Amino acid sequence: MKNRCLFILLCILPMLCGCNESDDVVRIFTGKTWKLTDVLDGGTYPIIGNSYDASSNPGYWSSNEAKEASIKLLEAENNFTITFTGVLTNKTISGGISGRAASTSFTGSWSADAESNYFTAKPSSTSDNDALGRAFLNGLNNATSYKGDENNLYIYFKEGQRTRCLLFHVQE
């Protein structure tokens, strides 16, 4: 009896101690619509959330008026959104995307690796009438990695020599 209890305890121990270092990519990406809330320069400095400054202009807008026009489009309910569908194979999920920039709807494909946080997306459209819309599509097209959880998603991308980040929250 004593050996049996010891055996059961030894069998349960690995389940209690085991840890999973990979993300639950299905819960992070699928089953919701993500809404863009900001673009971060260098991954930390908010571009949309800060006032327009021509000296630190990231190249999206030619004036404060152009930036304000983009922000109005961003505030519209179905603009700057993306929805992911996908199938998990081992630690990689891949599937379809659909969404809308400012004036352009798109579909496409995507994939993410739960262990390395590698991310790639290929939207069907790369152009939009709005500067922020073009930046949004460019960010998806040049995506390199992601971080996130069920409520926040960060998609990192290269823009020239700069690393930027599309910051998303779940659309309510």
Side-chain angles (χ1 to χ4, degrees):
M1 179 71 172
K2 186 176 175 183
N3 287 340
R4 189 175 191 176
C5 290
L6 182 60
F7 176 76
I8 291 172
L9 285 174
L10 289 174
C11 289
I12 293 174
L13 188 61
M15 288 187 280
L16 297 174
C17 296
C19 62
N20 185 351
E21 292 296 322
S22 63
D23 290 337
D24 186 346
V25 288
V26 173
R27 290 183 75 184
I28 290 173
F29 288 99
T30 63
K32 59 191 76 109
T33 298
W34 291 101
K35 172 84 171 169
L36 181 73
T37 57
D38 212 329
V39 179
L40 305 177
D41 189 19
T44 57
Y45 180 80
I47 294 173
I48 299 169
N50 278 337
S51 60
Y52 176 80
D53 177 4
S55 65
S56 65
N57 181 17
Y60 298 158
W61 304 284
S62 57
S63 67
N64 193 46
E65 292 76 24
K67 181 177 180 179
E68 291 301 319
S70 288
I71 290 172
K72 283 187 181 184
L73 291 169
L74 176 64
E75 291 170 351
E77 185 176 337
N78 292 317
N79 287 349
F80 298 96
T81 58
I82 189 167
T83 303
F84 300 91
T85 59
V87 176
L88 183 65
T89 306
N90 296 325
K91 297 289 182 181
T92 302
I93 187 170
S94 59
I97 57 172
S98 61
R100 180 167 177 82
S103 63
T104 303
S105 294
F106 61 89
T107 58
S109 60
W110 72 286
S111 69
D113 184 278
E115 289 182 345
S116 69
N117 294 89
Y118 173 80
F119 179 88
T120 184
K122 296 299 169 209
S124 59
S125 179
T126 58
S127 183
D128 194 86
N129 292 338
D130 178 70
L132 184 58
R134 287 188 296 276
F136 175 69
L137 292 169
N138 179 58
L140 291 174
N141 236 348
N142 293 299
T144 58
S145 61
Y146 79 93
K147 288 184 183 175
D149 56 33
E150 296 167 34
N151 299 308
N152 303 291
L153 178 61
Y154 303 84
I155 296 178
Y156 293 88
F157 65 99
K158 286 288 197 181
E159 195 167 66
Q161 296 300 313
R162 301 181 92 121
T163 298
R164 294 213 164 120
C165 174
L166 299 172
L167 172 59
F168 294 90
H169 293 291
V170 176
Q171 181 172 331
E172 297 184 24

